[in-house]
Amino acid sequence: MQPRQQMLDIWRAVARLGADWEWGGRDGRNSISDAEQLLCLMHPASLVDGFQLDRPDDTHPDALAALRDMGDSIEIPRKLIRVLIDYMRTYTDENGAPDFSGGSYFRTEDPDDKVTDEQSKMHVVDSYSMSITLTLATLGFARVFRSRVTRTDLRSQVDELEKLASIRLSAAMVGLLRSFTVNAFGEGTLPWRTLINTVRRRGQSDDRVVSDLQERLQEVRAGLRDLSIGSGQVELENSNLLFECGWTWGTLRGAPTIETTEPVGVQGSGLAERRPLLYFTTIALAGIVDLTKERTRVLRLLNEEQQRLAAALQLRYDLTRSYWATVASSEASSDGGDRWPLEELPWRTSDGEESDYFSLLVTSLVTHDLSKRNAPDSDLRRVLSVLEELSSRGRVTRRALTNDVALQLHTPGVPLRLGGSEGEVNPRLTWVVSDFSVMLLKRVVTLALRARSPELRSQLTTLADQVWDHLNSRRMDDGGAGALWDQPAAIFQVGREFDLPSWYHTERVMECLVMLADLVLAPPARSQRLYDIARDRIAEAEQLFDREIFAGSLEAGPSIRGSMQELRAHLRRAQRVLTEKPGTADALASEVLRRLDQLAAAQQSAME
């Protein structure tokens, strides 16, 4: 993998398609797809060194070359300002409230049914989360670019963009707060049976399973009872009830309005049923993570009221990751002898459906917890084994079989039923997800960023290379869509071929490449064994060097004196980098030992 080059290739293709910035793609226009198209530029521009576009004088030549179809270093940010304003205005309703509708991404359970106009306008969590990511990138871009702006008309455009982005950010946060849900269920129900069978250890009775689970979820239960803003409040005093928490697909039916000073518009009534969905929970957590990033704090992108909303979302984030980590990974005994529920594939949801895609989603939720608590490599290895098995079962690292049902993970994808979207005359909607491969890569890279040992990081990067090979084979190569995604027929030989790119897939690939850039720039994983060897080798080299100095080597001719001074510099460098780069320190010490031995051999030969 070459993340820098791959990101530049995507930029080149986006600029080629967007020289005049034509909206739309394979799925047509909607508030999510258009945001994904913009994030193909804004993700690296806001997060990767060398890809910034908000400082025209400092824009890297490679970035300018990739985006030359959009103009020069001066015109590119100006065009971005215009395009971002166009997006913010387009997805604002007639009353001035931001629009988070799913539009063309909605599907129906029955192919013969059609999504009604009323249904296409329903707000969806995917749009809330994607808008948080986009607006934070936009606000950061505008804040930095304004300091370079002198023209009055351009400064006015930047001010308008910042105002629109801030309103959309606040509305998206309110939307997420009203989409959080807790689903409580009693003994004997399908969710109750599914949950206790998921976490049951061998030989445990139902009563013992429930008792253990209730004990481990005490803090989560208490935290949920204390929620005071938004949806999610539910009566959990009855200890016989089990529960699950997370995000449903849209605004929850009966969700209370949120008092806020931000001009977010009318907070409409919700329709979504009170059952969290793994996909939308994962998507929501990704947006909340962006609210807590260092860049958000350093640039002070959130005002006081937005910080209050972000704190409420952070609380739900912590409760959700704790809940799913408890359910999916805490059943193993301390000696590692028992398997985690996550390791029992495939995962079964509370409504009785099961899929390897659900296992991948739960892996994502568990990874959030592993990252927050700096989990040991032993826990990361467990998750790695799950990812390796999923990559095989999902035909990412293994060839597909004839009439292989696993291909449905990729094309057409996994349909998620949106409970509550149906009416007396309207059909029930579904949300089709087909990002199994790219989500798998994201999980692998996330673990690699957390791995401490070189051996584990090597295993993870090897798997990442294999998944990338698969994704690279699905890249489109027809004309202007070159270097964009997704063409599953190119590798699976099933389904139809597409002429237009999918911003849904391309944006997710770009997100993975940004994470891969972080992995490339991260310090090497430290090996304790290599550290010990390097430390001992440096000690030996220092002693032999001091012996040569004592023997008068520095009083010798200029050639030997210069060589000894160079060896002294090597030793000092080895000592400085020993902790962070033991391999480099070992190589420097080895070079000193080799040259000292050459000197000793030459002296011995002269004596003889």
Side-chain angles (χ1 to χ4, degrees), residues 109 248-253 271-275 277 416-422 428-430:
E109 280 190 312
T248 185
W249 60 268
T251 304
L252 186 68
R253 182 185 293 118
L271 295 173
E273 67 179 3
R274 189 182 293 276
R275 187 174 72 84
L277 299 175
L416 308 175
R417 292 197 300 270
L418 307 184
S421 61
E422 70 279 9
R428 175 179 289 184
L429 300 183
T430 63

Side-chain angles (χ1 to χ4, degrees), residues 24 29 64 124 298 345 354 367 479 547 572 595:
R29 294 197 65 180
L64 290 176
V124 65
V298 170
L345 304 178
E354 57 183 23
T367 303
R547 182 184 296 176
R572 288 176 176 172
R595 291 173 59 177

Side-chain angles (χ1 to χ4, degrees), residues 282 285-286 289 317 321 363-372:
T282 302
L285 294 186
V289 166
Y317 172 95
R321 70 174 177 81
T363 300
S364 175
L365 298 175
V366 170
T367 303
H368 278 279
D369 185 71
L370 297 178
S371 301
K372 283 292 183 179

Side-chain angles (χ1 to χ4, degrees), residues 40 213 274 304:
C40 288
L213 189 59
R274 189 182 293 276
E304 186 174 344

